[in-house]
Amino acid sequence: MSERFDLYRAEHEDIEPPVILLEDVSKDYVGGQHALKNVSLEIRKGEFVFIVGISGSGKSTLIKLLMKEISPTGGHIMVAGKDLSRLREYSVCKHRRNIGIVFQDFRLLKDRTVFENVAFAQRVLETPNYKIRRDVPRILSLVGLSEKLDSYPDELSGGEQQRVALARALVNNPVILLADEPTGNLDPRNSWEIMRLLEEINRRGTTVVVVTHNKEIVDAMQKRVITLNKGVVVSDQRGGYSRAKN
Ligand code: ADP
Ligand code: MG
């Protein structure tokens, strides 16, 4: 465990450390793009957080930093008690097991069945077969797809495909679920369905971070909303999108 994390604990003895902690984080891409500027924020275990902001404001950059797909140019990031700058390659894989992720474009394997798409996430971790046979139907039932185990992605609606992606993200029981515009390709009914599932997953204890443009949903759900603008956190409060300053 890192010194910074110990220090944080010493200063906040009474409370659990945040599951996500950014301290003064900046990200400049090669070519001079300042995608994030001195972002500091804490997300606690069990929170449900929306990240909003116009296109180009740094939302996906934040998600990629949390996955350690990219590294910050400045500052510190801690996820599930680990200082990401200190992770070696082997530990990066372990770190990613703590995180489930879904994207706007589903990213399913087109030549595999629904069952195999979800099982894939377990096979890469060399999960034993008996566990795969037990876990995959269980998680597909949670997202309402028990009837579709043998279907292929092309045979499913967009909403169903996103539910498969969600099942795949959840099958290894992550501490954190990240969703980068998960409803961007869905109609309102399917968008709501996905959000209700995210809420249910959160109710079961997973910390959920959702990047979205869907004002109606953000307004209705009354969760914590972090607004980014040009790489800066301009608002962080509970409530709807419309209250957030853009
Ligand atoms: P959002 O997800 O909020 O739309 P991004 O995090 O994708 O925003 O992008 C933030 C800024 O960083 C934008 O100006 C974007 O053009 C720039 N950017 C994102 N990815 C790269 C990259 N790989 N190389 C250079 N610039 C990038
Ligand atoms: Mg984005």
Side-chain angles (χ1 to χ4, degrees), residues 29-30 33 35 53-62 64 180-181:
Y29 287 105
V30 181
Q33 290 280 4
I54 58 167
S55 184
S57 55
K59 306 179 299 295
S60 294
T61 297
L62 175 60
K64 287 175 191 160
D180 193 351
E181 305 201 29

Side-chain angles (χ1 to χ4, degrees), residues 37-53:
K37 291 175 213 154
N38 308 100
V39 169
S40 294
L41 58 89
E42 286 181 26
I43 296 176
R44 306 209 149 268
K45 192 164 185 300
E47 275 198 274
F48 189 120
V49 182
F50 283 119
I51 310 277
V52 306

Side-chain angles (χ1 to χ4, degrees), residues 65-120:
L65 286 167
L66 295 176
M67 294 295 291
K68 201 169 161 68
E69 263 179 51
I70 55 174
S71 297
T73 349
H76 290 270
I77 303 174
M78 249 177 268
V79 177
K82 294 275 190 271
D83 182 338
L84 296 194
S85 67
R86 295 187 179 205
L87 296 186
R88 301 200 181 271
E89 212 167 304
Y90 164 76
S91 314
V92 172
C93 298
K94 260 177 72 182
H95 158 68
R96 293 203 181 124
R97 285 183 213 172
N98 285 326
I99 304 178
I101 185 155
V102 294
F103 302 95
Q104 178 170 354
D105 55 359
F106 321 138
R107 302 193 189 181
L108 300 176
L109 302 166
K110 297 227 177 299
D111 59 345
R112 314 255 176 120
T113 62
V114 166
F115 182 97
E116 279 304 325
N117 265 278
V118 178
F120 185 78

